[in-house]
Amino acid sequence: MAPNTTHTGPTTKEARGLGVSGNWSNGAGSLLVGLSLRSGGTSPGLLADRIQTAEAAGLNFLVFGARDPESTTEHELLSAVEVAAYATALTSAIGLVAAIPTTHAEPFHVSNQLSSLDRGSNGRAGWIATIDISTSWAQAFSTSAPDIRTAQREAAAVIDTTRRLWDSWEDGALLADARSGRFLDADKIHYIDGTGEFFDIRGPALMPRPVQGQPPVFAPVDLGSAGVDVALVSAGTELELIGAAERARSAGTARVLAEIVVSDRSESAIHDEQRLHCRSDDSTIPALLDRLRHHVDGVVLYPTEPDAQLPSLLRDVAPELEASGLLRRPRPGLTLREQFGLPRPRSRYATTHLQETGARR
């Protein structure tokens, strides 16, 4: 996965752990607007066109691999990370968020995949942590499907361990200094010693720390707030959605996104009481987002009929959102954390290392 430009490490601001607000500016009334794209049944050329058109339209991020409502495809042929990696070479500003199930997951693999995606995109990667308790998913791992509570506990463990693996390499651990002959600073690489119900991991990670330190973690609100930067909330009505967003924020989640299904079917034909539905025309979505902007930090749009709806969404709706100030297009060079106004986290092991070094002196 070749990056478009070279990004060797954090900037001075990032190294101090100071977040740059970037696109996110709740006080100005703007929202982060994301779009879910599916690759199943789509040719590489059409997928590339959709990805590039979404960036040209000024959307803030794309979501790959999310289970769209009303979809008849249970699993896609390509993983979300593979599709997001394909998008890195086609884009320079839009965030690339991959949905990776935590169920039956190996944190080492999750950590490596997202670290690679973050480096390939120069800091534009994000992760939607999901659970999958279907029999077909379990069969892919030659195991049995867990119950929902077990899957939720496993999700918390995978998220925590993946973030620890990202932190196991401090910033500056990779030297690659030909003059001194030093490739690594071994004092800045740490064992995480993760032991628990689902796996035992000693660490460290197999790859240096991601560009963002830790790519932002998104998760449905029912997975809890521990280790989650961005909560995804959904509900059947606006009032219920606003209530869910307030509860997610009260639980301590830094950012909250509303999930909205874009459907042009008649209300009588919609039987989904779990998600808010909205038509794809250029007046309905802006009006809805204007009502939601004081309650959420952004939205994820799930088109149910991409072939019919994406042209209108990207050609008509996105410019209307930008013209009204609801959408602020991302600037090339911003990381996804900067877009969301999230600080770049310092490695949790860096302070311990400094304390140990001071004690030895």
Side-chain angles (χ1 to χ4, degrees), residues 21-34 54-61 93-95 289 293 297 318-332 334 338-340:
S21 62
N23 261 32
W24 183 81
S25 180
N26 199 34
S30 60
L31 290 171
L32 292 155
V33 180
E55 180 169 71
L59 298 189
N60 299 105
F61 62 97
I94 197 166
L289 267 57
R293 64 178 176 172
D297 302 303
E320 174 65 22
L321 293 175
E322 186 174 19
S324 66
L326 286 167
L327 168 66
R328 292 189 180 183
R329 64 176 55 237
R331 187 176 71 249
L334 284 180
E338 289 170 338
Q339 276 208 69
F340 275 73

Side-chain angles (χ1 to χ4, degrees), residues 79 148 227 299:
S79 73
I148 185 67
V299 298

Side-chain angles (χ1 to χ4, degrees), residues 210-271:
V211 172
Q212 298 180 93
Q214 297 180 10
V217 178
F218 300 60
V221 69
D222 57 3
L223 286 189
S225 60
V228 175
D229 300 296
V230 184
L232 302 174
V233 298
S234 59
T237 68
E238 283 186 47
L239 186 60
E240 292 171 336
L241 186 66
I242 291 169
E246 291 175 349
R247 289 191 295 274
R249 213 179 292 282
S250 297
T253 310
R255 301 287 178 263
V256 179
L257 302 181
E259 296 185 296
I260 298 174
V261 178
V262 181
S263 175
D264 293 313
R265 296 163 60 185
S266 65
E267 290 188 15
S268 60
I270 296 174
H271 304 289

